[in-house]
Amino acid sequence: MTNNNNNDEPSLDFAIIGFAKTGTTFLHDILANHSQVIMYDDEFWGDGDVLRRWLNKTTVLAGNSSLNETNREQPQPATKRRGIKCPRIVKETARLDQLLNNTSRVIVGVRHPVHWFESLYNYRIWQKHEKKRHNMKPTLRFLHNNRTDWLGLSTGAARFNLYLKQLGKVPLSPEELQHMTRINKVYGVMTSSAHHEQHPMKVLLYSMEQIKDSNTQRRLHFQHTLQQFLNLDTPLHDLATKEKVN
């Protein structure tokens, strides 16, 4: 698979790409407070040019920021990993070709579809009344549809498997691509998926329950897994000490 970034250009180390209401903001804040991580300040909505400007701006702070395993065989100076949070990319995976390269890593959160629907629905209603952002409140009949979404919310949008298939880890047949396009669940797939190839980019899946887990042993195991996935030398802050966010 061809690396989409020029070798001389700074590259993004990792991205938290979704799904909405699975603790992505919580993870962003945890990682932003880690001494070896530089996070884009807010949710990333930009394109490749915006990302490149931010990467160039933070190059001096980051040092030799590479997650390439072969590079770690040699003694390396202390580096910082640079990451973004952009939950919408999981539904627009073609953008990953613009923003990431073969050594970048992707973090994806999932949760029970019913709990996800309930959480996002309540959040949109809260935005409508408290933030005055939305004029309409759709009927549940409208939301019970594969084709129509309300601000990213529908029963069809809870079919996480359709989006995960687009991450270039499983082969997609032409029939599957046509099916996903027909039900409006494909907004452009990664080049590797379109060509039925496996992308070398590493992906970490976690569930919302792991972030909220009251079992200390399991929670610490997840924290250690995330630390290793990002090749961080020092442990993450205990998730139990961080207040949950919307």
Side-chain angles (χ1 to χ4, degrees):
M1 178 90 183
T2 302
N3 190 322
N4 293 310
N5 288 359
N6 187 303
N7 290 334
D8 295 330
E9 292 184 352
S11 60
L12 189 68
D13 293 309
F14 69 93
I16 305 169
I17 68 168
F19 288 86
K21 309 309 292 179
T22 61
T24 56
T25 299
F26 179 78
L27 277 187
H28 174 282
D29 294 347
I30 285 287
L31 291 169
N33 286 305
H34 193 282
S35 61
Q36 290 179 272
V37 174
I38 301 174
M39 292 295 297
Y40 191 83
D41 288 339
D42 204 347
E43 194 162 303
F44 183 81
W45 298 98
D47 56 18
D49 290 335
V50 174
L51 181 63
R52 277 187 288 275
R53 287 197 293 272
W54 178 71
L55 290 171
N56 285 323
K57 181 180 177 180
T58 57
T59 294
V60 174
L61 292 174
N64 182 20
S65 180
S66 173
L67 285 171
N68 193 322
E69 296 289 351
T70 58
N71 288 344
R72 291 179 64 84
E73 294 176 1
Q74 303 297 326
Q76 296 290 318
T79 61
K80 294 193 176 186
R81 316 302 183 208
R82 285 176 289 185
I84 61 173
K85 171 208 166 190
C86 187
R88 288 194 174 185
I89 293 184
V90 76
K91 297 185 178 182
E92 303 172 13
T93 51
R95 293 188 63 202
L96 290 175
D97 286 325
Q98 304 173 9
L99 302 179
L100 306 180
N101 62 24
N102 291 350
T103 62
S104 301
R105 302 194 174 188
V106 166
I107 302 170
V108 187
V110 296
R111 69 190 300 182
H112 191 291
V114 173
H115 297 160
W116 172 84
F117 186 96
E118 178 185 39
S119 178
L120 188 53
Y121 179 83
N122 289 338
Y123 181 61
R124 295 306 188 207
I125 295 299
W126 174 82
Q127 284 183 319
K128 172 179 169 59
H129 292 285
E130 298 296 326
K131 300 293 185 179
K132 310 299 181 185
R133 288 186 180 178
H134 318 305
N135 295 324
M136 65 168 286
K137 176 185 174 183
T139 64
L140 291 179
R141 181 184 294 274
F142 176 88
L143 296 175
H144 187 59
N145 198 311
N146 278 333
R147 288 184 173 274
T148 55
D149 288 2
W150 176 51
L151 302 170
L153 179 65
S154 71
T155 54
R159 297 181 64 185
F160 301 141
N161 62 305
L162 294 179
Y163 301 112
L164 294 175
K165 283 181 178 181
Q166 300 173 50
L167 291 177
K169 293 302 178 183
V170 295
L172 290 176
S173 68
E175 290 76 18
E176 287 178 301
L177 286 172
Q178 289 173 8
H179 170 70
M180 287 190 285
T181 302
R182 193 162 54 248
I183 62 173
N184 289 348
K185 297 307 168 194
V186 169
Y187 304 95
V189 300
M190 297 181 69
T191 303
S192 56
S193 294
H195 291 85
H196 318 296
E197 301 172 355
Q198 184 173 14
H199 198 289
M201 173 185 66
K202 293 189 176 182
V203 178
L204 175 66
L205 285 175
Y206 72 89
S207 72
M208 186 71 171
E209 288 73 22
Q210 288 176 283
I211 288 181
K212 300 168 63 176
D213 201 336
S214 59
N215 181 288
T216 302
Q217 184 176 359
R218 289 196 301 261
R219 187 179 66 254
L220 292 179
H221 176 73
F222 169 67
Q223 291 174 203
H224 183 64
T225 299
L226 182 58
Q227 176 191 338
Q228 287 188 315
F229 182 72
L230 296 178
N231 283 330
L232 301 175
D233 298 323
T234 56
L236 298 168
H237 295 294
D238 190 345
L239 302 182
T241 64
K242 176 83 171 71
E243 184 179 353
K244 305 297 186 294
V245 294
N246 284 333

